Amino acid sequence: MYSDTIVAQATASGIAALNLIRVSGTEAISIVQSVFKGKNLTNVPSHSATYGHIVEGEDTIDEVMVFVYRAPNSYTREDLVEITCHGGFLASSEIIRLLIKQGARPADRGEFTNRAYINGRIDLTEAESIMDIVNAKTREQLLIAQKTLQGDTRKLVEELQKDLLFIIAQIEVNIDYPEYDDVEQLTGEIIIPRIESLLERINSILSKANTGRIIRDGIKTVIVGKPNVGKSSLLNSLLKEEKAIVTEISGTTRDLIEAEMNLDGILLKLVDTAGIRETTDTIEKIGIDRTKAAMEDADLVLLVLDQSAELTEHDKALLDVTSDKTRIIVGNKTDLGKKLDLHTEKVINISAKNHIGIDSLAAEVKTLFLKSKFDSKDTLIANVRHIARLEQTKQCLADSLESAKAKLPIDMIEIDLRDAWSYLGEITGENSSDSLINALFANFCLGK
């Protein structure tokens, strides 16, 4: 339990109907009471709403509703007060100023959720899911985050840990009481089958994890091609709005244009780029350099070619430079004829100008990236950190299985099993370092 009391605005700054201010800590109720005119907040029951005013001396700062949540039945498991005041820039900042003057301190980013985690109300996966809910831009992202917040990921990890613990316990008993179990029997009948079962379950989880990761994080998609091939028209067609300027002049796009679209539950993070060509124009050259850098960082490259023209040396160079990327070749301008022939390469034919073929392009993206169908009933591991720890767990189990089959001493097998246990514990925060915790919560917004 923390000894200090923190305060922060939980709603975004700016003009709005209402703002919400959070206060949490041992003195939260008394500090708010010191500037509140209305019922005595120290006497109201938990989970109650009280009408009144925030005052400074004889001056009324704002008309408010105050919600009191008493420990441990609050978001942070501390005494927590939420003040709903009028929106705008000044009212909330004045109230926060008064609360700090009375003894509260400004909260760090994510500190309310950090306190909920430290005080045992939520685990690390549930804490991370809160920001996933805040950042969700598709219904699928929201559903995955909600299931994690409800504890589905924690339960999955705990089940794996429970089965691991059984194997470790059997080994410990044998080490302490060697007469209790025959080593050959212990290894062959208990250790090997159970490790194989765990590996099978983890492989099943990981086989669906890519779908979860794609839904959670989206696909960074870079649109490339030579100048005037229709990249910006494709961006506009995908977004169904005039995001990028389209002209007949080559080199119109000089810098990266970024946008996002919801593609049947998958977030495409689109980047329209400057056409790649040799140029002496300094500004255009900078744009082309940024295009090349964006390609390096992309999950998907949409290489746009002109279907109405023969393949040029420039096109061949782009095909070569993107050959090692996950890419989709898009044949644009089919409304003007079809002269392009790539033989063995698959081409998605479209007319960005006339919005033809966009559905086929969307279907190809889903085919490339969704290895399994999303079912909202499934517990999908979507967080890259969780996936990495599961991969490490899998490797430890594979090492222990190899040792068991080689009939190495069981205490050697146990070392890998304990490492596997530790990696699983890092997912929920059971074994996480302070530096990891601080880094994770630093990405939260104030008031969360």
Side-chain angles (χ1 to χ4, degrees):
M1 184 71 73
Y2 292 85
S3 60
D4 57 350
T5 297
I6 56 174
V7 59
Q9 182 171 314
T11 44
S13 298
I15 301 300
L18 300 170
N19 274 330
L20 180 70
I21 298 166
R22 271 182 166 168
V23 189
S24 182
T26 54
E27 303 298 323
I29 298 173
S30 60
I31 286 175
V32 175
Q33 176 59 43
S34 68
V35 296
F36 180 71
K37 186 177 180 180
K39 287 184 181 178
N40 188 340
L41 299 177
T42 60
N43 296 329
V44 301
S46 183
H47 293 69
S48 63
T50 304
Y51 167 81
H53 296 82
I54 299 295
V55 297
E56 184 176 22
E58 297 297 319
D59 298 328
T60 297
I61 302 300
D62 199 12
E63 182 181 30
V64 298
M65 290 295 297
V66 175
F67 300 82
V68 173
Y69 306 90
R70 298 186 182 275
N73 300 313
S74 73
Y75 180 71
T76 58
R77 279 198 171 166
E78 303 173 331
D79 284 346
L80 178 72
V81 180
E82 292 183 346
I83 304 170
T84 301
C85 64
H86 287 97
F89 296 99
L90 192 58
S92 59
S93 61
E94 281 294 290
I95 293 171
I96 291 172
R97 177 185 64 80
L98 282 176
L99 295 172
I100 292 172
K101 185 178 177 181
Q102 296 301 315
R105 70 163 174 83
D108 295 328
R109 298 180 73 88
E111 190 170 359
F112 290 89
T113 303
N114 194 355
R115 290 189 175 205
Y117 164 68
I118 294 297
N119 292 331
R121 182 183 176 275
I122 55 176
D123 72 0
L124 203 54
T125 65
E126 292 161 345
E128 289 169 303
S129 72
I130 290 168
M131 278 312 295
D132 287 345
I133 290 171
V134 172
N135 293 326
K137 295 178 181 177
T138 70
R139 185 174 184 272
E140 287 73 10
Q141 287 178 334
L142 183 62
L143 291 175
I144 288 177
Q146 285 287 1
K147 285 183 73 65
T148 304
L149 183 59
Q150 291 164 12
D152 286 29
T153 300
R154 172 179 48 79
K155 292 171 188 173
L156 184 150
V157 170
E158 287 175 348
E159 288 170 3
L160 293 172
Q161 284 185 309
K162 179 182 176 181
D163 287 349
L164 253 176
L165 184 60
F166 178 87
I167 305 172
I168 293 170
Q170 291 293 116
I171 292 174
E172 284 292 320
V173 168
N174 185 273
I175 292 172
D176 292 339
Y177 304 98
E179 71 281 1
Y180 182 80
D181 267 325
D182 175 70
V183 173
E184 289 283 339
Q185 182 182 9
L186 176 66
T187 303
E189 295 184 8
I190 296 178
I191 295 178
I192 290 177
R194 285 183 177 268
I195 293 176
E196 288 176 335
S197 176
L198 278 168
L199 277 169
E200 186 178 338
R201 286 159 60 191
I202 289 176
N203 281 329
S204 177
I205 294 166
L206 288 173
S207 70
K208 300 177 182 179
N210 184 64
T211 297
R213 182 188 67 81
I214 291 299
I215 291 173
R216 177 183 185 267
D217 296 335
I219 306 170
K220 188 167 185 180
T221 307
V222 175
I223 305 172
V224 299
K226 64 187 180 184
N228 208 31
V229 78
K231 299 183 300 299
S232 296
S233 295
L234 174 57
L235 176 72
N236 291 341
S237 187
L238 287 168
L239 297 175
K240 298 180 181 178
E241 65 172 284
E242 297 300 311
K243 178 77 173 180
I245 299 171
V246 177
T247 74
E248 297 298 323
I249 303 170
S250 294
T252 299
T253 303
R254 298 294 187 94
D255 204 351
L256 305 184
I257 299 174
E258 300 186 17
E260 293 181 344
M261 70 166 291
N262 182 345
L263 178 65
D264 295 332
I266 307 173
L267 190 68
L268 281 191
K269 300 177 179 180
L270 294 163
V271 182
D272 180 25
T273 64
I276 299 177
R277 66 175 177 179
E278 293 296 326
T279 181
T280 57
D281 185 301
T282 302
I283 296 176
E284 188 177 359
K285 188 176 185 302
I286 292 171
I288 292 170
D289 289 341
R290 290 181 178 178
T291 296
K292 293 176 180 177
M295 283 174 55
E296 289 297 317
D297 194 36
D299 299 314
L300 172 65
V301 173
L302 298 182
L303 174 56
V304 184
L305 303 176
D306 187 347
Q307 275 281 33
S308 67
E310 302 283 348
L311 196 68
T312 66
E313 291 302 316
H314 197 160
D315 293 326
K316 292 176 182 177
L318 287 172
L319 284 165
D320 183 62
V321 80
T322 61
S323 61
D324 61 340
K325 307 291 183 186
T326 300
R327 75 179 180 190
I328 297 174
I329 299 174
V330 181
N332 190 27
K333 302 186 181 181
T334 54
D335 54 308
L336 301 179
K338 187 171 181 250
K339 296 181 181 179
L340 191 67
D341 187 2
L342 293 182
H343 305 294
T344 58
E345 295 277 8
K346 182 177 182 179
V347 179
I348 304 298
N349 297 318
I350 70 164
S351 171
K353 181 180 179 181
N354 297 314
H355 309 291
I356 296 171
I358 301 301
D359 289 344
S360 297
L361 177 57
E364 185 67 14
V365 173
K366 295 186 76 171
T367 299
L368 271 179
F369 284 90
L370 291 189
K371 304 303 180 186
S372 59
K373 188 176 180 181
F374 172 66
D375 187 337
S376 60
K377 296 178 182 178
D378 288 341
T379 299
L380 288 183
I381 301 298
N383 186 300
V384 172
R385 185 182 71 83
H386 304 169
I387 294 170
R389 295 300 176 268
L390 277 174
E391 291 283 6
Q392 290 169 311
T393 300
K394 175 183 171 181
Q395 185 58 55
C396 289
L397 288 173
D399 291 343
S400 68
L401 181 61
E402 184 178 344
S403 298
K405 289 181 175 179
K407 299 182 179 180
L408 295 182
I410 55 174
D411 54 341
M412 298 295 293
I413 301 170
E414 186 185 11
I415 291 172
D416 288 321
L417 294 176
R418 285 190 175 275
D419 286 343
W421 167 277
S422 180
Y423 284 128
L424 287 173
E426 287 186 26
I427 295 176
T428 57
E430 183 181 340
N431 302 325
S432 295
S433 65
D434 289 342
S435 58
L436 170 65
I437 301 302
N438 292 336
L440 287 174
F441 285 109
N443 293 320
F444 277 51
C445 49
L446 286 173
K448 256 300 177 190

